[in-house]
Amino acid sequence: MTGSVAARRYAKALFDLAKTSGGDAPEKAGADIENFASLARESAALSALFRDPVFSPEEKRNVIAALADRLETGAMVRDFLSLLADKHRLDLLDKIAAEYRVLLDAARGILRGEMVSAVPLDEKTRATVLGQLEKKAGKSLVLDFRVDESLLGGMLLKVGDNVMDASLKTQLSLLKDTIKRGA
């Protein structure tokens, strides 16, 4: 089983368990798993410990327990992380956190994406674009805005698996191909 498939399955299992707990359990579990993933990303030593098969699952569980106390992690996520340690899957923690975020966003009706423009957009323009896109999608959108001067003009929007490329760079490339074909 590849890492992405396994991460998706583990995230789904945690999400389903959190949903059956009711209340704000899905959000709490998401925050807890994200805190651990973030800590592992920021600490090379912790990341190495999670990935290294030399350390026993028991040693990893002890570290998880100590960190969980400091981070005030809920029992559900503590048990989940212990399971990952037992199954030698702590190396998937970052991917699991990302997959969990996707599941939580889907349950909330939120789409995440990225808008790349050739020039920086002011707040008013960002809000206008975001409002129009939310209206069109019928869902809440969370966009990361980025600047890429190589686009020359226009913008590129990525939401999920969909990409809308309205950049001048792409338009010029298409025109160039059309001219080469003699059409």
Side-chain angles (χ1 to χ4, degrees):
M1 187 170 6
T2 66
S4 295
V5 173
R8 195 171 301 117
R9 287 183 181 174
Y10 279 109
K12 176 101 172 80
L14 179 61
F15 185 73
D16 289 345
L17 182 62
K19 273 195 333 190
T20 60
S21 296
D24 67 343
E27 287 82 7
K28 173 74 171 121
D32 287 348
I33 200 79
E34 184 58 44
N35 284 342
F36 260 90
S38 176
L39 200 58
R41 274 192 305 272
E42 294 168 6
S43 169
L46 183 61
S47 181
L49 175 107
F50 282 174
R51 295 179 194 291
D52 197 338
V54 171
F55 295 101
S56 71
E58 183 179 342
E59 291 170 313
K60 292 177 184 180
R61 282 194 310 270
N62 290 338
V63 170
I64 289 167
L67 289 173
D69 287 340
R70 281 197 1 220
L71 296 173
E72 298 178 3
T73 303
M76 182 187 327
V77 173
R78 284 177 192 239
D79 293 344
F80 179 75
L81 292 168
S82 292
L83 173 73
L84 292 179
D86 291 341
K87 300 290 185 183
H88 304 284
R89 291 299 201 171
L90 283 169
D91 60 324
L92 296 177
L93 188 56
D94 206 32
K95 289 180 181 178
I96 292 169
E99 291 291 340
Y100 191 94
R101 199 173 317 114
V102 168
L103 292 168
L104 192 56
D105 285 348
R108 292 178 177 163
I110 296 174
L111 293 174
R112 289 191 185 269
E114 177 184 42
M115 175 160 289
V116 183
S117 59
V119 295
L121 302 176
D122 61 37
E123 286 303 316
K124 184 178 178 186
T125 305
R126 287 180 180 197
T128 302
V129 168
L130 188 60
Q132 290 174 350
L133 290 171
E134 284 179 335
K135 186 177 177 182
K136 198 166 204 117
K139 293 186 177 191
S140 293
L141 279 175
V142 176
L143 290 179
D144 293 327
F145 289 90
R146 197 168 56 85
V147 175
D148 180 357
E149 294 175 357
S150 73
L151 294 179
L152 304 176
M155 57 185 63
L156 178 71
L157 175 66
K158 301 174 189 174
V159 178
D161 293 336
N162 299 321
V163 177
M164 295 182 345
D165 190 344
S167 67
L168 185 56
K169 179 179 179 180
T170 299
Q171 299 303 317
L172 289 172
S173 178
L174 292 172
L175 182 61
K176 179 181 171 184
D177 291 344
T178 303
I179 290 171
K180 278 184 181 179
R181 286 191 305 250

